[in-house]
Amino acid sequence: MEKMVILGGAKLSGEVEISGAKNSAVAILAASILVKGKCIIDNVPHVSDIDVLLDIIQGLGGSAYFIDKGTVEIDCTNLNKYEADYETVRRIRASSYLMGALLGRFSRARVGMPGGCDFGVRPIDQHIKGFKTLGAEVEVDHGFVDLRADKLVGDSVYLDVVSVGATINIMLAATMAEGLTVIESAAKEPHIVDVANFLNCMGANIKGAGTDVIKIRGVKELHGGEFSVIPDQIEAGTFMIAAAATHGDVTITNIIPKHMESLSAKLEEMGVIVEEYDDAIRIHMDDRNLKSANVKTQPYPGFPTDLQPQILTLLTVAKGTSLVTENVWDNRFKYVDELNRMGAKVSVDGRVAAVEGCEHLQGSPVYATDLRAGAALVIAGLMAKGVTEIYNLKYIDRGYENLELKLKSLGAQIARRTVDDNKSNAV
Ligand code: EPU
């Protein structure tokens, strides 16, 4: 087992390049299952969720490998199975996309219930509603979702809940269905647009991605091609917050500033200087106190739930009291106990956390409870006094490429150690 050791207090400064979006890349790799032909996908972050998905696709008979840094070659022409390995599927949330992709390819899919971070209940009723609307019979038994259809036929699906996963999954199943599928009340996250762009590049006919009505006219087949994944909005946001948290001066490159608007506005409200360029943002914070602010998570273009733990962490040292409301997930405040262990003053009542700003956090051993909570604890460690040790790094490794190397290049005092290396916590 490994731990991350951080000596807090260093102001981050310099330039950092953001990797491709993990949540987009996992959906695009799954979408490649629909393609008969070779796809070259660039800007793929090398994180463990991607490795798991590549393993699953290989297990289904496809060929899927990194051929260079950030580049995956994937060819599913000879994919010959519609049942994915149960244990592997349970390791990542994105395996839910196998349902839509395999159903679209074979009119048949048998996939274990997807795993992923634990934020309370993670239902898939909207995915199932979509598949049924397209003509599939769906049975859920013994941890498997079994889907079969004589043929898929387009129709209108109205989502009762704005769901990223259901929107993408229905899009995948509908790409080669007969006729027109209309998804109403669709999610609008940047990676939904990215998946639609990928499918269109390979010959699909999808219009309206990025709005709440997406129209998919089924095509007979998709062909191979090349595509580059968009930059990771959440990794970019994590670095923006880390820069502000250390009163640093950091330019974050390879990003789409438009995707960052809700965070940029919130940081400015807290007194942080945010300068936007074409494909970069500079974050600058002097030695003044941060101001408190209220944050409510919402589907895009609202404030992303995947940056909620990181912004809450920043608010622990802002002057005054802030309220953070989690509107997307039932239970995404598990990490708060860890922050309080570091001296934060956060109390949670249902979906609302009240954050009373304190002078500073104090370094301590803490445990990541999920991917973004892990990133939040790294930010807490960077701004705390003394040494913070973070355990459960497997969560962070699911979604951040070279996090500590990138932070180190900005001047952070951070290192990874094996846990039985007790000689020192020196960084
Ligand atoms: N929901 C339903 N029924 C469904 C599907 C979702 O009620 O059939 C509810 C969920 O319970 C939740 C809300 O709808 O309350 C939103 O869930 P959504 O389906 O949008 O989430 P997801 O597709 O499972 C993706 C990201 C998450 C991110 C959410 C919200 C991936 C692989 N995961 O999850 O990312 O939090 O969208 O933006 O894209 C992360 O990267 O750390 C992460 C957890």
Side-chain angles (χ1 to χ4, degrees):
M1 205 191 8
E2 291 179 314
K3 66 180 174 185
M4 214 180 265
V5 185
I6 304 172
L7 174 61
K11 291 180 188 227
L12 299 185
S13 75
E15 207 174 283
V16 64
E17 188 179 328
I18 296 306
S19 303
K22 182 266 274 183
N23 286 347
S24 187
V26 287
I28 286 170
L29 291 177
S32 307
I33 287 177
L34 292 166
V35 180
K36 286 190 178 159
K38 192 199 286 178
C39 298
I40 303 288
I41 322 232
D42 272 329
N43 211 26
V44 178
H46 205 157
V47 295
S48 67
D49 272 17
I50 296 285
D51 282 333
V52 173
L53 193 55
L54 295 180
D55 275 357
I56 293 175
I57 292 170
Q58 287 158 16
L60 291 168
S63 154
Y65 302 95
F66 272 98
I67 54 166
D68 205 345
K69 186 181 172 328
T71 307
V72 167
E73 182 184 292
I74 178 162
D75 189 341
C76 291
T77 310
N78 297 322
L79 202 91
N80 53 9
K81 292 193 193 117
Y82 59 75
E83 179 169 338
D85 176 65
Y86 183 76
E87 280 312 317
T88 322
V89 159
R90 283 175 52 82
R91 288 169 53 197
I92 56 169
R93 185 69 190 169
S95 50
S96 68
Y97 297 138
L98 298 169
M99 294 189 281
L102 291 169
L103 185 65
R105 171 82 186 253
F106 297 117
S107 294
R108 184 86 171 82
R110 189 169 156 79
V111 179
M113 284 294 273
C117 293
D118 177 8
F119 313 132
V121 194
R122 293 189 75 167
I124 55 165
D125 57 303
Q126 299 303 306
H127 304 234
I128 291 177
K129 174 178 168 176
F131 299 141
K132 283 185 171 167
T133 305
L134 298 182
E137 280 176 35
V138 185
E139 261 179 59
V140 182
D141 76 303
H142 293 94
F144 274 96
V145 188
D146 209 272
L147 306 109
R148 61 181 81 204
D150 288 337
K151 64 174 178 180
L152 296 171
V153 181
D155 204 336
S156 284
V157 186
Y158 186 93
L159 295 179
D160 305 315
V161 182
V162 179
S163 159
V164 172
T167 303
I168 291 178
N169 237 338
I170 298 166
M171 214 157 72
L172 296 179
T175 290
M176 290 193 291
E178 201 175 283
L180 182 69
T181 300
V182 181
I183 309 175
E184 296 194 58
S185 196
K188 296 183 275 209
E189 268 65 7
H191 45 295
I192 289 170
V193 181
D194 212 29
V195 178
N197 285 343
F198 166 76
L199 288 166
N200 283 341
C201 277
M202 307 304 150
N205 181 350
I206 302 174
K207 296 198 169 113
T211 74
D212 49 16
V213 181
I214 302 180
K215 295 184 176 167
I216 306 133
R217 183 156 303 274
V219 295
K220 288 260 180 303
E221 66 175 29
L222 301 180
H223 53 74
E226 291 184 17
F227 192 78
S228 185
V229 174
I230 51 167
D232 197 309
Q233 175 203 11
I234 305 303
E235 187 200 7
T238 303
F239 276 96
M240 287 167 68
I241 295 170
T246 59
H247 294 262
D249 186 351
V250 176
T251 300
I252 295 131
T253 65
N254 184 35
I255 63 175
I256 300 174
K258 172 102 189 119
H259 294 168
M260 310 312 306
E261 274 174 355
S262 60
L263 173 63
S264 296
K266 200 46 72 180
L267 290 175
E268 283 178 333
E269 192 183 324
M270 294 176 71
V272 178
I273 296 165
V274 180
E275 284 172 21
E276 276 187 16
Y277 301 93
D278 286 348
D279 61 356
I281 287 184
R282 177 180 172 216
I283 296 291
H284 182 222
M285 182 66 203
D286 58 23
D287 285 334
R288 277 174 303 170
N289 278 337
L290 291 154
K291 295 182 219 154
S292 59
N294 295 334
V295 177
K296 294 181 181 178
T297 67
Q298 302 283 358
Y300 190 81
F303 193 94
T305 172
D306 294 342
L307 288 174
Q308 178 260 99
Q310 300 90 316
I311 195 87
L312 186 148
T313 300
L314 185 62
L315 290 166
T316 61
V317 293
K319 204 169 163 53
T321 301
S322 309
L323 293 180
V324 177
T325 309
E326 174 55 55
N327 287 313
V328 178
W329 296 110
D330 287 342
N331 189 359
R332 204 174 192 173
F333 286 124
K334 283 188 181 161
Y335 64 94
V336 157
D337 289 344
E338 303 301 306
L339 282 183
N340 285 345
R341 218 196 268 246
M342 297 178 72
K345 293 182 185 147
V346 187
S347 54
V348 176
D349 183 7
R351 283 174 177 255
V352 182
V355 187
E356 197 190 317
C358 65
E359 196 80 353
H360 59 80
L361 298 181
Q362 189 63 51
S364 150
V366 285
Y367 288 79
T369 51
D370 64 65
L371 166 59
R372 308 303 171 186
L377 293 176
V378 172
I379 293 171
L382 291 171
M383 64 190 198
K385 285 204 165 157
V387 175
T388 297
E389 294 164 45
I390 304 173
Y391 295 85
N392 281 350
L393 299 187
K394 62 177 186 202
Y395 289 118
I396 298 177
D397 294 341
R398 291 177 60 168
Y400 287 91
E401 186 176 54
N402 297 331
L403 182 62
E404 68 268 24
L405 288 181
K406 289 185 181 184
L407 286 169
K408 220 172 179 163
S409 77
L410 296 172
Q413 302 281 301
I414 185 168
R416 208 176 258 252
R417 301 258 180 267
T418 48
V419 167
D420 54 3
D421 176 10
N422 279 329
K423 285 180 206 135
S424 88
N425 277 338
V427 289

